[in-house]
Amino acid sequence: MAVLFRTLRRERQTLSGWLPNVSAPTTAVGLAVCSVVVGLALWQVLAGWAMRSPLFPTPAETVHAFVRHAASGKLLGDVNASMARLLIGWSVGGLWGIALGLAMGAFRPVRYYFEPAIQFLRFIPGIAWITPFTVWWGVGELSKVMLILYTSTFIVMLNTMMGVFALPPARIRAARCFEAGPFDIFFHVTLPSTVPFIVTGLRISMGNSFMILVAAEMLASDRGLGFLIFNSRSYLATDLIFVGIITLGALGLASDFVFHSLAARLLRRYRYR
Amino acid sequence: MVWDGSIVFDKVSYRFEKDSPWIIKDLDLAIAEGGFFVLIGPSGCGKTTALNLLAGFDKPTQGHIHVRGESVVRPGIDRVVVFQGEDSLYPWLSAQDNIGFGLRFVRLPADERRARVRDCIEMVGLAGHEHKYPDQLSGGMKQRVQLARALACQSPILLMDEPFGAVDAQTRSILQDQLARICQESRRTIFFITHDITEAVLLADSVGVMRAGPASGLKAVIPISIPRPRHRWTREFGQMYDQLHELLAEEALKALVNVR
Amino acid sequence: MRGLATMAVEAATGEGQGAAARALRRVLSVRWVLYVAGPITMLGAWQYASDAFATKQLFPGPSETFRAFARLVASKQLALDTLASLRRIGLGFAIGSISGFLVGLTAGYVPLVRHLLYPYIHFLRFISAIAWLSMALLWFGTGETGKVALITYTTTFVVMVNVMAGVASIPVNRLRSARCFGATEWQIFAQVVLPSTLGYFFDGARLAMANSFATVVTAEMLAAQSGLGYLILVSRQWLAVDEIFVGIIVLGILGWLTDRVLVSLTDNRFRRHRLRS
């Protein structure tokens, strides 16, 4: 506590800390790496010495389990199952979301018509829909894909709408000066202006889809990472649970990174960064 | 109302909705063809509203606006607008493509379009920067792109809404001189809005001073007969400046006091 | 003569001034007509679709859902389950917001802490609370603790990230001017930093609330004997889709209510503190 107060007092112009060059990028990376290493070591110590119970796997055991599971090909099977559902639902849902969002953003009557329904539906947790979906479409792929499709559509639609509303009116007025018709305005002004919002919506919905997918797989599936995580509990295979969790985090991180980098490079002109 | 001008405002009044206060009331104005008209007034007096009505973005609640004898109904390429700030440039197009954008929707053969774009780039002094994107351009360069875009359309009337307002003082005087030179070389009617009196005296053939809002109209129209090219702060320049400043200061004080 | 399509589009987008466009716009601009027509027509379509469906039980319409709602209210089942869920959320949310706020402030203030936490935040960002459910069940059992722990985890995370962002976006000149006036560090903290970050805190709280609902519902579906998630699960086992719908709708209402409460807290008391809408 005293350290914190000293920190605050020593501060000059901005809220900087007590290590003088902490803002340098190399120091930041160094600290991050240290933090991870220390964290892993702590984990090993806690799990290996302090607790030593099957309920708390050590990093070493987790790595072992990972290698085992990966070598047997089952991990790949789980990953494939999860990613396939995710990608199909996310991409189709995203397309729907773009179309709906543009329609609602550009045509005020459409928006007014759907607005009360949307303002209510957005508060229903997506995962709650897995129950009726499994009743209607069984425990197979369709119910999960539909769930991800639904949640993706929603998020992308909201973001796209936001993008249409954020359009500077001067852009449209300039086009009207040049006697552009309404369809010209839509394709040459509205659509390109909305691109960064659409991409942001797709990115957010991808992260969200991972979360919903895990829950759905726990509830109604016999394959996939969520299934791996939940099912391993019955065998007290906590190392496998951790494998599932970490693979999930890594997959999410990788997908987000790939998507964001690709989009930033290809769509730099449209002001997506 | 006299009808021989290129632009005529005939008892134009405007307000947003039925019960909201009038923004401009009974505005009468005639601008001769080829004239450089500057509209000057305190903030909130409705200058931009007058320009929007002339451009065709809004319709007057009462009265008519005629351009070359025809009523103004919708925006058109004969009355292109140069906006304040960078909002109206398209960030996904290069400077060159932005300038050519205005010609996209009018039937023009491609090589003529390219030739016009090239000429305009030269005219505003953007040669060498035409492949840059708006986020790589400075404020002054962005305004030059807008100006080039408007010039490329070869519209007989140019509407400019405080185009140099968001630009720093040095760039502003450079752009003003450039605009004065371009206008000398071509016979266009220009409707220019500003609240900078120096700019008005430098560029205008006649200056309209608006009263403070709401329900404002024209207080006076002062012709500026200093021969061109004009230099800032000669004696005649100073005299015109003082005359306009006196008229404007009254209205500016009223605008400060007015609580809307 | 411009086409009908052009006029319709102009009317819809509010631009354009032809007579037909204006007339169309006047009719459609009665916003409230559309606001009301939307839900009514949708409910009607729902009823129609459900009537047309072969097995009524699998796709009930609004009337069947309402009857199920009345049944559940009368049997006190709905109230009990709702309270169970709310209790878990309430506790977890309260603990999580406070801890998230504290950690977020610290991390925002002290770059050292921020850099140390960075790798964990950016990795855990992609691991939802539900992914930890298995471990939570093993460590805490199937009682209340595990679920509250999960909700605390997700709330802390979301609030912390938002508060960190809030501290980082305090305009430097605000701090500088406070220093010009001779404020002490404590005064700066209490009178500049805290008010500036309150808006971000509440934004984080709203997001966290939505997450908490999702988490609790899933946890209840997988490992609970009470709560709205449990209700939905049981209804699925009996194929009582009408009760499932009741559960879903109640969830929606609760989510909307809690969000309204959080928004009103900020709008009324802290409106000037919030720079973001």
Side-chain angles (χ1 to χ4, degrees):
Chain A
M1 224 32 207
V3 161
L4 187 62
F5 292 161
R6 233 183 297 135
T7 309
L8 303 178
R9 234 184 305 134
R10 202 176 302 182
E11 207 271 295
R12 284 291 160 259
Q13 287 203 323
T14 55
L15 297 173
S16 55
W18 43 289
L19 278 181
N21 56 344
V22 152
S23 42
T26 41
T27 326
V29 172
L31 277 174
V33 171
C34 276
S35 168
V36 174
V37 168
V38 167
L40 283 172
L42 261 171
W43 178 11
Q44 177 73 44
V45 164
L46 267 177
W49 275 299
M51 293 196 61
R52 211 133 26 135
S53 109
L55 289 181
F56 207 143
T58 66
E61 287 167 7
T62 312
V63 173
H64 273 279
F66 179 83
V67 173
R68 236 187 308 131
H69 205 64
S72 72
K74 282 199 225 128
L75 186 64
L76 198 60
D78 286 326
V79 165
N80 275 347
S82 296
M83 288 305 286
R85 292 163 182 151
L86 187 110
L87 285 174
I88 297 177
W90 171 77
S91 49
V92 177
L95 283 172
W96 261 114
I98 295 173
L100 280 173
L102 285 173
M104 299 219 314
F107 299 111
R108 256 181 273 168
V110 177
R111 183 181 130 224
Y112 294 154
Y113 182 75
F114 286 109
E115 190 157 347
I118 290 180
Q119 289 304 322
F120 177 70
L121 286 174
R122 68 191 280 205
F123 289 108
I124 299 178
I127 193 61
W129 289 104
I130 191 67
T131 350
F133 284 13
T134 46
V135 168
W136 295 333
W137 294 308
V139 198
E141 301 302 304
L142 190 58
S143 51
K144 288 171 267 308
V145 170
M146 290 304 282
L147 185 63
I148 296 182
L149 206 150
Y150 167 74
T151 49
S152 290
T153 308
F154 222 89
I155 294 178
V156 174
M157 172 181 72
L158 287 175
N159 271 274
T160 310
M161 245 170 62
M162 230 169 47
V164 179
F165 294 151
L167 235 169
R171 274 190 211 169
I172 299 194
R173 283 181 167 179
R176 291 182 69 206
C177 276
F178 305 128
E179 299 191 357
F183 291 107
D184 288 322
I185 294 183
F186 183 77
F187 282 113
H188 291 286
V189 181
T190 311
L191 202 47
S193 298
T194 329
V195 165
F197 291 85
I198 292 178
V199 178
T200 306
L202 284 171
R203 189 181 178 196
I204 296 176
S205 85
M206 186 186 257
N208 203 56
S209 300
F210 267 100
M211 297 194 202
I212 300 249
L213 179 69
V214 167
E217 284 178 347
M218 285 186 180
L219 280 165
S221 176
D222 58 353
R223 271 186 316 154
L225 286 171
F227 173 73
L228 174 69
I229 292 174
F230 198 63
N231 200 44
S232 308
R233 172 177 144 248
S234 326
Y235 310 110
L236 278 188
T238 47
D239 46 2
L240 270 182
I241 298 181
F242 266 71
V243 168
I245 294 178
I246 294 180
T247 314
L248 188 67
L251 267 181
L253 192 65
S255 322
D256 183 77
F257 180 74
V258 167
F259 181 72
H260 179 67
S261 325
L262 266 178
R265 189 162 314 164
L266 293 173
L267 299 172
R268 174 164 292 249
R269 280 200 335 175
Y270 295 88
R271 282 263 187 90
Y272 179 75
R273 264 165 224 140
Chain B
M1 203 53 236
V2 189
W3 282 64
D4 62 4
S6 179
I7 299 175
V8 174
F9 280 70
D10 185 8
K11 284 206 156 1
V12 172
S13 309
Y14 182 79
R15 61 180 171 187
F16 283 128
E17 282 163 346
K18 200 149 269 182
D19 290 318
S20 58
W22 289 104
I23 299 180
I24 53 178
K25 195 97 173 59
D26 292 333
L27 182 65
D28 285 320
L29 181 58
I31 302 169
E33 193 153 346
F36 197 126
F37 180 82
V38 173
L39 191 59
I40 201 170
S43 315
C45 71
K47 316 189 282 291
T48 304
T49 309
L51 185 139
N52 286 343
L53 293 173
L54 178 54
F57 301 138
D58 297 312
K59 200 143 199 292
T61 318
Q62 287 172 7
H64 306 277
I65 303 179
H66 300 273
V67 164
R68 294 167 145 194
E70 282 178 19
S71 222
V72 165
V73 173
R74 68 182 71 88
I77 204 161
D78 60 328
R79 280 159 293 131
V80 174
V81 180
V82 175
F83 298 88
Q84 186 179 24
E86 55 172 26
D87 273 350
S88 70
L89 286 181
Y90 303 121
W92 56 89
L93 295 176
S94 67
Q96 191 173 292
D97 293 329
N98 262 295
I99 296 172
F101 186 84
L103 299 171
R104 242 196 244 197
F105 309 106
V106 199
R107 305 262 173 294
L108 210 67
D111 38 342
E112 195 190 324
R113 198 191 322 153
R114 257 175 277 143
R116 275 206 216 175
V117 169
R118 228 174 298 134
D119 287 337
C120 289
I121 293 177
E122 296 285 336
M123 221 190 294
V124 300
L126 274 175
H129 300 282
E130 63 262 25
H131 296 294
K132 291 197 185 152
Y133 287 88
D135 61 344
Q136 299 167 304
L137 299 171
S138 71
M141 287 199 265
K142 282 191 265 220
Q143 287 308 93
R144 272 187 258 175
V145 171
Q146 269 206 73
L147 187 56
R149 183 173 69 177
L151 290 172
C153 299
Q154 291 184 353
S155 40
I157 300 175
L158 265 183
L159 307 177
M160 306 178 86
D161 186 355
E162 296 192 55
F164 310 139
V167 157
D168 68 88
Q170 280 111 328
T171 318
R172 200 181 309 160
S173 49
I174 296 174
L175 291 173
Q176 285 162 355
D177 291 331
Q178 224 161 22
L179 182 62
R181 193 177 28 86
I182 293 175
C183 295
Q184 245 189 306
E185 295 165 7
S186 61
R187 292 278 302 159
R188 266 180 249 253
T189 316
I190 306 207
F191 186 93
F192 190 103
I193 293 185
T194 184
H195 51 243
D196 182 355
I197 305 176
T198 323
E199 204 164 54
V201 180
L202 189 71
L203 299 169
D205 289 327
S206 57
V207 177
V209 180
M210 285 197 75
R211 285 193 301 267
S216 60
L218 267 185
K219 181 172 185 173
V221 178
I222 312 282
I224 312 247
S225 42
I226 308 175
R228 294 179 203 266
R230 297 181 186 162
H231 300 285
R232 292 180 188 79
W233 305 124
T234 57
R235 175 174 318 157
E236 308 139 302
F237 196 100
Q239 279 169 345
M240 295 282 12
Y241 182 95
D242 285 334
Q243 185 178 3
L244 286 171
H245 179 81
E246 204 181 302
L247 284 169
L248 190 54
E250 254 179 39
E251 298 307 315
L253 270 170
K254 273 192 232 157
L256 268 179
V257 166
N258 262 341
V259 176
R260 205 111 37 103
Chain C
M1 183 61 199
R2 284 155 330 128
L4 219 53
T6 311
M7 283 199 280
V9 167
E10 280 184 349
T13 53
E15 308 262 319
Q17 282 138 29
R22 264 179 292 145
L24 198 53
R25 225 181 304 150
R26 222 176 296 136
V27 168
L28 295 176
S29 76
V30 189
R31 259 196 192 193
W32 298 99
V33 169
L34 286 167
Y35 276 153
V36 169
I40 290 183
T41 47
M42 284 184 215
L43 284 172
W46 177 14
Q47 182 73 58
Y48 178 76
S50 118
D51 288 337
F53 207 73
T55 338
K56 210 40 180 335
Q57 194 190 5
L58 287 186
F59 190 37
S63 47
E64 289 83 24
T65 311
F66 185 72
R67 252 176 277 148
F69 175 73
R71 243 185 297 134
L72 285 168
V73 166
S75 70
K76 303 259 189 11
Q77 186 60 35
L78 190 62
L80 284 172
D81 282 328
T82 310
L83 279 173
S85 298
L86 282 178
R87 225 183 306 134
R88 292 164 182 148
I89 293 180
L91 192 56
F93 184 76
I95 303 176
S97 335
I98 298 175
S99 56
F101 188 58
L102 292 173
V103 177
L105 269 183
T106 318
Y109 243 83
V110 187
L112 182 70
V113 174
R114 202 184 325 143
H115 291 299
L116 288 177
L117 283 178
Y118 181 88
Y120 297 105
I121 292 177
H122 283 277
F123 187 71
L124 290 175
R125 191 156 59 105
F126 294 100
I127 303 179
S128 61
I130 277 304
W132 292 104
L133 181 63
S134 288
M135 297 311 303
L137 288 174
L138 287 174
W139 290 337
F140 301 110
T142 50
E144 300 299 297
T145 327
K147 300 168 190 64
V148 173
L150 282 178
I151 296 175
T152 311
Y153 165 75
T154 179
T155 308
T156 309
F157 199 82
V158 175
V159 170
M160 170 182 74
V161 167
N162 269 272
V163 171
M164 265 172 58
V167 175
S169 18
I170 300 178
V172 154
N173 286 332
R174 241 183 250 181
L175 300 164
R176 286 174 173 166
S177 57
R179 289 222 169 73
C180 280
F181 299 131
T184 67
E185 292 300 331
W186 261 126
Q187 285 173 322
I188 292 182
F189 177 77
Q191 303 197 23
V192 178
V193 176
L194 269 184
S196 304
T197 39
L198 267 176
Y200 289 83
F201 168 71
F202 278 104
D203 283 338
R206 284 173 73 189
L207 273 173
M209 181 60 89
N211 269 9
S212 306
F213 267 99
T215 309
V216 97
V217 166
T218 321
E220 287 170 353
M221 281 201 251
L222 285 166
Q225 303 293 326
S226 65
L228 284 166
Y230 174 69
L231 173 70
I232 294 179
L233 178 80
V234 164
S235 309
R236 164 177 129 179
Q237 284 166 349
W238 291 106
L239 285 185
V241 183
D242 49 359
E243 298 192 356
I244 295 180
F245 280 169
V246 172
I248 289 182
I249 293 176
V250 170
L251 275 173
I253 296 176
L254 280 179
W256 176 81
L257 265 176
T258 47
D259 191 70
R260 280 282 106 200
V261 166
L262 283 173
V263 167
S264 72
L265 271 181
T266 57
D267 269 351
N268 290 335
R269 237 173 284 164
F270 303 118
R271 196 161 38 89
R272 290 215 177 73
H273 295 157
R274 298 181 75 233
L275 295 181
R276 314 188 303 164
S277 50

